[in-house]
Amino acid sequence: MSRESADKVGVIGLGIIGSRVAARLRENEHQVYVWSRTPRAEPNFVGSPAEMATLVSTIQIFVSNGDALLEVIEAMAPRLTKGHLVINHATVDPRSAVDAYQMVRDAGAAFLDAPFTGSRDAAASGALTYYVGGDPKILESTRPLLEITSKDILHVGRVGEATVLKLATNMISATTVEVLSEAYGLVRSAGIEPQRLQEALELNACSSTLTGMKFPTMIEGDFETHFSLKHMFKDAQYALNLAKDLEIDLPALSTTANVMFRAIQGGKGDQDYSVLAQNYQEDAK
């Protein structure tokens, strides 16, 4: 691969994460081509995923769900060659991840399944963590590119397995925020200042990086989106569907999904998933 082609990269999906990944790559002197369903005033915005495949050999995908991933892959497939690498960063259902891999492989190209953890600020500062499924040799060849936008890269096995692990970690995040919201509601209803709970958490084994990030903004009623409620609900649905296929019960996640669904019905889907705390605030709508 020539230096010129190595410095070119495509980013598909310009949401909260994809747009910041594209900006980070530009800051590191990559020539970045972008595409999303909604046209943006972005440098090198191309007309379609198929056009993207004619311009760059490495394409990173940050779409919202499995259907969108497969639509993008199908559009690109006729233009893919053995010189292409497609990296899926979207959190999708495991079946869609495997189907995308098979479509790319049938076209002769390489594929990595690389969902991430880390939200808006981590993407902007190059501090995402990638869980990667696929050929470890392919991962090593593209590691320098992924390191531009990440602080950690963990190879976890085959395509599809990274997606399962990402869904499992999101299960923990979703249920943690829900029970944290409930604890907030309990303390507040008992007439105790929520800041006292924050102080107690800091000295308790149940404290975590997540509670430290989310609880202060929950107290403030600041639900600016770092990871949207609608996307967390989508991931919960994927996990619940997988659990059904595996014939296991996930009662905590099922309850949390019901709470998230009601909040989405109340018009809160585009806010941060910590908006669940608003159920316990006097000005809840």
Side-chain angles (χ1 to χ4, degrees), residues 9-105:
V9 62
V11 174
I12 291 180
L14 295 176
I16 290 175
I17 303 299
S19 60
R20 287 166 173 81
V21 167
R24 177 82 178 174
L25 292 170
R26 290 190 191 101
E27 291 169 3
N28 283 265
E29 300 182 351
H30 280 268
Q31 186 174 356
V32 184
Y33 293 82
V34 297
W35 182 84
S36 68
R37 290 184 177 184
T38 304
R40 304 284 187 92
E42 291 265 349
N44 295 334
F45 192 100
V46 302
S48 67
E51 182 182 355
M52 176 80 75
T54 67
L55 295 169
V56 299
S57 58
T58 299
I59 301 168
Q60 297 182 252
I61 301 177
F62 294 87
V63 294
S64 59
N65 56 48
D67 289 341
L69 171 64
L70 294 177
E71 288 174 10
V72 165
I73 298 296
E74 184 176 9
M76 290 194 300
R79 307 287 180 89
L80 295 177
T81 69
K82 64 180 182 180
H84 281 94
L85 169 60
V86 177
I87 309 173
N88 170 48
H89 297 295
T91 302
V92 300
D93 58 291
R95 181 71 259 170
S96 292
V98 173
D99 287 348
Y101 162 61
Q102 291 174 339
M103 291 170 65
V104 171
R105 183 187 60 183

Side-chain angles (χ1 to χ4, degrees), residues 60 87 89 130 139 142-150 153:
Q60 297 182 252
I87 309 173
H89 297 295
Y130 291 119
L139 170 58
T142 195
R143 184 178 289 273
L145 175 67
L146 295 178
E147 286 177 341
I148 294 172
T149 54
S150 67
I153 300 171

